[in-house]
Amino acid sequence: MSSPILVVEGVRKSYGTRRILDVSRLELASGKSYVLTGDNGSGKSTLLRVLAGMEDAEVDLYLFNGRSVSLRSYPEWLRHDLIYVHQHPYLFRGSIIDNICYGLKARGMTRASCEPQVREAIVWAGVDELLDVPSHRLSGGEKQRVALARARVLHPRLFLLDEPTANLDAEARQQTLRLIRDLCNANSTVVLACHDREIIQLPHMHRLHMRNGTMEFQNDGYSMA
Ligand SMILES: Nc1ncnc2c1ncn2[C@@H]1O[C@H](COP(=O)(O)OP(=O)(O)O)[C@@H](O)[C@H]1O
Ligand SMILES: [Mg+2]
């Protein structure tokens, strides 16, 4: 059993009197891949956003790689180790290269020193023919692939991907699936909120299932998919 990259306990969030998140415990093993399923409105996106420090919630325990984290003062090192990718990723103004460089530059690298990694990321994402297209003109699938490349170039230990193949046409979905398969086969931990059967049935995928804000089951095998 590999050591956990993330352990959270007692995650609760309400809007008014309505409790939308009540997860007693979630543990993610290092290097494994998980699908997070559940009906619309069951709390998948909220949970991922809370884990990424983007939404407030009550949390009794948050341990990342054994280090205790307070969501109220979300540490900078965790922004390096954990990256959330939105269902409709927001790309910055400018080019694909500007977008992929952004995080590396924020970490103090110069544009020239980023170049080999950025080149590799462009080829990985299959966007080499789109480099002259301004980011706001890219299709949904192209934006999703750039967002995945922008995240991957930073080598986080944990990816939280929110419905990466939802609303994509067949070809864009296949292109994104190829990237997802590759991320899942690499060393990082990946959590994918999705309804996509093809992702759910990927080999070695573990299953998390939410119902009305609770974690209904966590399964270490593929058989319950
Ligand atoms: N800002 C908000 N105010 C009130 N309710 C919200 C807000 N954001 C999300 N919710 C509710 O929280 C529940 C969980 O939403 P969400 O996490 O987006 O579910 P999922 O991603 O599983 O579809 C939904 O019922 C949604 O209506
Ligand atoms: Mg959602």
Side-chain angles (χ1 to χ4, degrees):
M1 175 76 192
S2 44
S3 59
I5 189 71
L6 181 78
V7 179
V8 288
E9 288 180 1
V11 184
R12 295 176 298 277
K13 184 175 177 79
S14 301
Y15 284 111
T17 55
R18 190 163 158 244
R19 178 146 288 191
I20 58 154
L21 217 49
D22 194 359
V23 173
S24 53
R25 184 178 166 85
L26 169 66
E27 179 170 329
L28 304 176
S30 204
K32 293 195 173 172
S33 304
Y34 297 84
V35 279
L36 174 60
T37 54
D39 290 345
N40 284 335
S42 59
K44 304 180 297 297
S45 297
T46 307
L47 176 63
L48 296 186
R49 293 169 59 82
V50 165
L51 297 179
M54 300 164 76
E55 279 199 37
D56 270 349
E58 277 178 64
V59 179
D60 293 340
L61 176 77
Y62 188 127
L63 284 180
F64 192 91
N65 203 25
R67 291 170 80 176
S68 177
V69 169
S70 159
L71 285 184
R72 291 211 163 65
S73 51
Y74 201 80
E76 196 54 35
W77 60 263
L78 192 50
R79 298 197 188 284
H80 293 200
D81 281 351
L82 184 163
I83 294 186
Y84 169 84
V85 180
H86 194 275
Q87 175 174 358
H88 301 290
Y90 173 78
L91 297 187
F92 309 115
R93 282 192 79 78
S95 65
I96 289 177
I97 292 178
D98 294 332
N99 271 275
I100 296 176
C101 276
Y102 181 86
L104 295 169
K105 282 175 37 192
R107 291 177 192 188
M109 290 179 74
T110 62
R111 196 171 170 112
S113 63
C114 302
E115 201 190 313
Q117 290 174 66
V118 173
R119 276 278 133 221
E120 198 265 341
I122 287 167
V123 172
W124 179 78
V127 293
D128 25 345
E129 286 176 1
L130 302 169
L131 297 182
D132 294 333
V133 181
S135 59
H136 66 279
R137 298 257 178 232
L138 296 171
S139 71
E142 291 160 356
K143 281 185 182 153
Q144 184 61 243
R145 271 149 53 215
V146 171
L148 291 173
R150 182 175 66 183
R152 176 179 171 269
V153 83
L154 299 173
H155 299 293
R157 303 178 76 143
L158 175 59
F159 291 92
L160 304 177
L161 310 181
D162 201 352
E163 309 225 23
T165 59
N167 313 316
L168 300 185
D169 65 30
E171 190 187 344
R173 183 171 152 273
Q174 284 307 325
Q175 288 166 330
T176 301
L177 275 172
R178 179 178 63 75
L179 305 188
I180 288 169
R181 263 189 236 108
D182 195 63
L183 285 182
C184 292
N185 288 336
N187 295 329
S188 308
T189 308
V190 183
V191 179
L192 290 135
C194 73
H195 299 277
D196 190 317
R197 301 277 334 151
E198 210 169 329
I199 295 179
I200 295 169
Q201 292 176 353
L202 285 175
H204 313 300
M205 194 59 89
H206 303 276
R207 180 89 178 259
L208 307 169
H209 187 75
M210 291 189 75
R211 188 184 169 94
N212 295 333
T214 67
M215 195 58 72
E216 194 173 46
F217 63 78
Q218 304 181 33
N219 171 29
D220 267 355
Y222 151 69
S223 58
M224 289 183 80

